[in-house]
Amino acid sequence: MKRRPQAYSFRMISTVWTAMLGLTILWLTVLTNTAEAAPGHEGEEALFTQLKSGKRIAIEKNYTPAEKPTVYLTFDDGPSKLTPKVLDILQEEDIRATFFVLGEQVQERPKIAKRIVEDGHALGNHTYNHVYRELYSDFRAFWEQVQKTENILLETSGVRPRFIRAPGGTYGNFDAFYFYYLGQAGYEVYDWSIDSEDARRPGMTADQIFRTVEKGPFGNEVIVLMHDGSGHEETVKALPRIIRLFKEKGYTFASLAPEVKPVQFSGGNLKWSRTETRESFDSLLAAAHEHRGLWAPEDIPSKDNAPKALPGSPAAIAYTEAGQRGGPDRLNVHLGERTLALTKEQFRFRDGSYRVPLRSLITAMGGTVEWNAERRTAVVRYGAITAEYDLARQQLRVRRPAAEWDAEAKTRIQPFPEMELANGTLYVPLRQTLELLGDRMLSSDVPHERGAAEVQAAVYGGYRIGWMHS
C-alpha cells in the first residue's frame, strides 16, 4: 500500500522541527556553560571600571577591638643612629611599639633592625627610599620598593612584615587601585590618628612635639606617628613625656597586629597623575594574588578566621603600664612533684605577674623545647599539645587534641603573645602559658617586700581536654 502524501509530509515536518529544537537546546546549553565557565573576565572588567572611577572596594575582614584603651606608638624612616636610643627608652619603660623601616636604612644598619625584632617590637614596611615621585607615579614602582624592602627584612631579621605605611600617608597619594592591590596581596595599610608633627614642621622642639600629641584625639585605640630617622633628636627627647602622658590617661601600650583595625585616610584629591590600563591591572592583580600565597591562610584575617587575642591581652604584643620595679628575690613555681626555682635575675616581675624563661618552664613541666634558627620558631611539645612561638610571623600556634564536641578546637592561632626575647632567652607570661597548655595556676603568693614568691600550679601533662572551652 502506498503512503498518502499528506502523512509523509507531516512526518517530515515533525522530524525537522524535532531536530531543530534539539539543536537549539544544545546551542543554549553550550552558550550557558561557556558563560558560566568564564565569569572572571566580566567580573574583573566591572571591578576595573569601579576602581578606575575612584571607588574603593572594601575587603571583608574581622578585627578585634582592644578591650582596654590602647596606644600604638609607631616610628617611621629608620633605623638610624637614633633608633637604639628609642629602643633603650622603650625597654626601660617596658612597652612595645612598631617601626616602619626603609629598606635602604636597614641595609645600612641591619643589626639595629634585628634588635627591633629581638626586643619584641613589630616591623612595618615603609618602602625602600621614601622618594614620593617614584612611589606615586606608578603602582609598579611602589610594589617593587615594597618587595625589595620585604626581602631585605626577611634576610636581615627573619621577618616578613605585613604592615605597610605609605610615605607621607595615603591621603592624596593612594588611589583605589593602590588600596585594592595591597589588600589582595594580604597587606595591612596603616595611617595614624595622632600626628606628632615632628616631620611636618621643621625645627620642632621636644616640648612642641609633646604639646601636639597632647591635643589628641584620644579614642579607645590610638595610633601615634613619630619618626626615628636622622635629624629627629627632639622626638627622642619628647618620647618619655609622651609615654608618661598615655600612662596617666590609663592606656595600655601595644605593637600593631593583624587584628588591629587600620586607620586609613579618605582619598582626597590625588596629587599625582597616573594612568591605569586593563593590561597593567591584570598583571598587577595577578602579582598581588601570587604574593598572598607567601602567607599561610590563617595569617590573613578573614570572616571565618580572625586571630583572637591571648586571654587578658587586647592586642598582639600588649604590655601594660610599666610594672613594679621591686618584686621578690626568688620565684618558686610548684608544678606537681617538680619545682622550678628561679633567682631574681632569671625571671621578670611586672604588674604583679611573672614572665619566666620558656625553656626552663617547659622542661620543669616535663615537656621539651626546640629552637629552629632558620624559621625563628621555638617549638614546645607537651604531652599531646604542640605550641609554636613563631617570631618570623609574629604569632603563636597551639595545636591540641580535638574534643568530641568541638573538632574545630584542634588548632588555635594567637597573635604574637606577651613575650620578650633578651640575650637569647625567650621570656613568657607564667599564667597565660600554663593556661594555653591546659594547666592551671592555683595560687600565687606575692610578697610585699624582698623574699621568695611561691606559685602553686596544677599540671596535667598536656592531656587535659575539657579546658578548651574555659
Side-chain angles (χ1 to χ4, degrees):
M1 178 188 293
K2 293 183 180 180
R3 295 177 181 176
R4 288 180 295 178
Q6 295 88 340
Y8 177 78
S9 176
F10 176 80
R11 183 166 295 179
M12 283 291 294
I13 293 173
S14 176
T15 301
V16 170
W17 274 106
T18 300
M20 290 180 63
L21 180 61
L23 289 172
T24 301
I25 293 173
L26 177 63
W27 178 76
L28 288 173
T29 302
V30 171
L31 183 63
T32 302
N33 289 342
T34 302
E36 290 178 353
H41 179 78
E42 294 182 2
E44 289 182 1
E45 182 64 38
L47 177 64
F48 174 74
T49 301
Q50 186 172 351
L51 292 170
K52 198 170 181 62
S53 70
K55 184 176 181 180
R56 287 179 55 182
I57 298 176
I59 300 175
E60 185 178 2
K61 297 180 183 178
N62 278 353
Y63 298 102
T64 305
E67 297 176 1
K68 301 177 182 178
T70 303
V71 57
Y72 308 95
L73 301 181
T74 65
F75 299 88
D76 288 11
D77 297 356
S80 75
K81 63 181 181 181
L82 298 176
T83 306
K85 298 179 182 178
V86 173
L87 291 171
D88 289 343
I89 294 172
L90 296 174
Q91 188 175 59
E92 174 64 25
E93 297 287 349
D94 190 30
I95 62 177
R96 298 299 177 267
T98 305
F99 290 79
F100 288 95
V101 297
L102 296 171
E104 63 178 3
Q105 296 300 323
V106 174
Q107 285 181 319
E108 291 289 327
R109 303 173 181 87
K111 291 183 179 179
I112 299 179
K114 188 175 181 181
R115 182 189 165 184
I116 290 173
V117 175
E118 290 178 345
D119 281 7
H121 304 290
L123 278 176
N125 194 322
H126 200 41
T127 74
Y128 181 77
N129 65 14
H130 206 282
V131 178
Y132 291 5
R133 66 178 180 274
E134 295 181 19
L135 296 168
Y136 301 126
S137 61
D138 191 301
F139 180 79
R140 281 169 290 195
F142 189 94
W143 177 259
E144 288 172 3
Q145 287 209 25
V146 166
Q147 299 308 304
K148 186 175 182 179
T149 298
E150 184 172 309
N151 291 332
I152 292 170
L153 287 172
L154 189 60
E155 181 180 349
T156 57
S157 67
V159 172
R160 185 191 299 276
R162 287 189 43 224
F163 312 136
I164 288 179
R165 173 163 287 163
T170 61
Y171 183 84
N173 295 320
F174 270 31
D175 57 18
F177 285 103
Y178 273 62
F179 282 111
Y180 188 72
Y181 292 141
L182 293 174
Q184 288 297 304
Y187 292 110
E188 297 283 359
V189 179
Y190 286 89
D191 285 314
W192 52 87
S193 50
I194 295 181
D195 183 355
S196 69
E197 299 187 2
D198 60 346
R200 180 179 295 185
R201 292 189 287 161
M204 288 275 284
T205 65
D207 185 67
Q208 290 173 321
I209 293 170
F210 170 76
R211 295 300 176 193
T212 301
V213 174
E214 191 180 33
K215 296 176 183 177
F218 299 100
N220 186 58
E221 292 182 276
V222 178
I223 300 177
V224 181
L225 170 65
M226 292 179 284
H227 294 78
D228 63 323
S230 298
H232 289 280
E233 290 84 358
E234 293 299 307
T235 302
V236 179
K237 295 178 183 178
L239 181 56
R241 292 181 65 190
I242 292 172
I243 292 173
R244 188 162 58 250
L245 169 69
F246 282 99
K247 286 183 176 181
E248 291 172 352
K249 290 182 175 292
Y251 277 84
T252 289
F253 292 82
S255 297
L256 290 174
E259 76 273 12
V260 177
K261 185 176 182 179
V263 172
Q264 293 178 352
F265 301 145
S266 58
N269 295 323
L270 197 62
K271 304 173 186 176
W272 313 91
S273 176
R274 293 193 288 260
T275 302
E276 191 75 30
T277 66
R278 178 58 201 273
E279 290 74 19
S280 64
F281 171 74
D282 291 340
S283 175
L284 288 168
L285 189 58
H289 289 163
E290 182 180 357
H291 187 276
R292 191 181 185 92
L294 294 177
W295 287 295
E298 63 266 19
D299 293 338
I300 303 174
S302 64
K303 182 177 180 180
D304 300 319
N305 191 20
K308 301 297 187 295
L310 283 171
S313 173
I317 312 175
Y319 280 77
T320 55
E321 301 176 4
Q324 302 167 16
R325 299 304 183 197
D329 290 330
R330 299 180 307 280
L331 172 63
N332 297 320
V333 184
H334 302 285
L335 304 159
E337 298 179 354
R338 298 173 178 168
T339 298
L340 172 63
L342 300 172
T343 64
K344 190 177 183 67
E345 294 74 22
Q346 294 175 313
F347 68 94
R348 310 296 172 89
F349 178 70
R350 299 185 182 99
D351 295 325
S353 62
Y354 303 99
R355 293 191 185 95
V356 299
L358 177 65
R359 186 179 297 276
S360 300
L361 175 63
I362 299 302
T363 300
M365 291 166 60
T368 63
V369 179
E370 297 176 7
W371 172 251
N372 188 316
E374 183 178 352
R375 296 174 54 200
R376 291 180 58 78
T377 301
V379 181
V380 174
R381 290 184 173 85
Y382 179 57
I385 301 172
T386 300
E388 296 181 351
Y389 290 80
D390 191 334
L391 276 70
R393 289 183 176 175
Q394 300 188 354
Q395 65 176 205
L396 169 62
R397 297 181 292 275
V398 182
R399 297 187 179 92
R400 315 178 178 98
E404 294 179 359
W405 59 85
D406 188 2
E408 299 299 323
K410 193 169 185 179
T411 301
R412 182 184 298 175
I413 307 297
Q414 306 287 352
F416 208 50
E418 295 184 14
M419 68 171 77
E420 180 180 353
L421 182 64
N423 299 321
T425 300
L426 187 62
Y427 293 88
V428 296
L430 177 59
R431 180 185 293 274
Q432 291 180 1
T433 304
L434 289 170
E435 292 174 351
L436 283 170
L437 297 177
D439 298 337
R440 289 188 300 133
M441 183 182 289
L442 300 176
S443 64
S444 177
D445 175 25
V446 181
H448 295 288
E449 298 179 356
R450 299 174 61 182
E454 305 293 333
V455 172
Q456 299 288 339
V459 292
Y460 301 95
Y463 292 98
R464 185 178 177 216
I465 302 299
W467 58 277
M468 281 190 288
H469 282 318
S470 61

